[in-house]
Amino acid sequence: MLSAQERAHIAQVWDLIAGHEALFGAELLRRLFTVYPSTKVYFRHLGDQPDEVQLLNHGQRMLQAVGVAVQYVDNLRAVLSPLADLHAQVLRVDPTNFPLVIQCFQVVLASHLQDEFTVEMQASWDKFLTGMAVVLTEKYR
C-alpha cells in the first residue's frame, strides 16, 4: 500500500504529533463539528456542546488509534478490526463520514506543522488515512 518513502513521511509526521494526541484530536473534533455539524449525531455521548475535557479525551482516543495504525501499518486489517466492528455494527457510522474526518485531520496537521508538513507528507498521510478508512468500512454490509 505504501512505499518506503511514504512510510518514512508518515513516521516523521507522527513523531511530531506524538505526545500531543489529545490536543490534535480535540481540534480535529472541533473542526469536524463546525464544518460538518451533521457529524455530531455520531458523538451524542459528548452532548450538544461538548466541553474541552470531553473533546480532549475523545480526541486522544481517536488519535491513539491512528498511532497504533502508524505502528502497525503493514497489518491495518488486523489492528483496526475491532474499530471496524464498532463503527459498522454498534455505532452504525455512515461511512461517508470517514473522508470528512480525514479532511479535517489534514487541515489540523497543516495548521500546526506548517512548513514541516510538506506536500509529499500530505500526500503520504492522505494515502495512509484513506487506507485506514477503507479498512474501517470493510465490515459494513
Side-chain angles (χ1 to χ4, degrees):
M1 174 175 129
L2 299 167
S3 70
Q5 186 62 48
E6 289 167 333
R7 291 167 195 263
H9 288 316
I10 291 163
Q12 186 177 359
V13 170
W14 189 255
D15 286 345
L16 297 171
I17 298 170
H20 307 285
E21 293 91 343
L23 294 173
F24 277 67
E27 185 172 336
L28 162 60
L29 288 169
R30 276 192 298 276
R31 187 171 298 280
L32 183 69
F33 297 158
T34 300
V35 178
Y36 303 107
S38 63
T39 60
K40 286 184 183 180
V41 72
Y42 300 108
F43 298 89
R44 286 197 175 115
H45 64 285
L46 297 178
D48 288 336
Q49 298 294 324
D51 64 31
E52 190 65 16
V53 171
Q54 291 172 308
L55 292 172
L56 288 166
N57 287 337
H58 196 80
Q60 182 164 350
R61 282 201 321 267
M62 288 174 66
L63 261 57
Q64 283 174 335
V66 173
V68 170
V70 168
Q71 186 178 0
Y72 296 100
V73 70
D74 290 325
N75 204 7
L76 285 181
R77 278 189 178 79
V79 168
L80 296 177
S81 184
L83 274 179
D85 288 333
L86 175 68
H87 285 82
Q89 297 167 8
V90 177
L91 301 175
R92 298 188 179 274
V93 174
D94 183 340
T96 61
N97 288 291
F98 292 121
L100 307 179
V101 173
I102 291 170
Q103 179 188 48
C104 290
F105 188 39
Q106 296 260 26
V107 171
V108 169
L109 290 174
S111 69
H112 280 274
L113 304 179
Q114 297 181 9
D115 292 342
E116 292 180 281
F117 193 55
T118 66
V119 172
E120 296 81 12
M121 289 177 173
Q122 189 275 331
S124 299
W125 270 85
D126 188 57
K127 189 173 179 180
F128 169 67
L129 292 170
T130 300
M132 284 185 65
V134 166
V135 169
L136 288 174
T137 59
E138 287 178 342
K139 302 276 180 126
Y140 286 79
R141 297 172 203 208

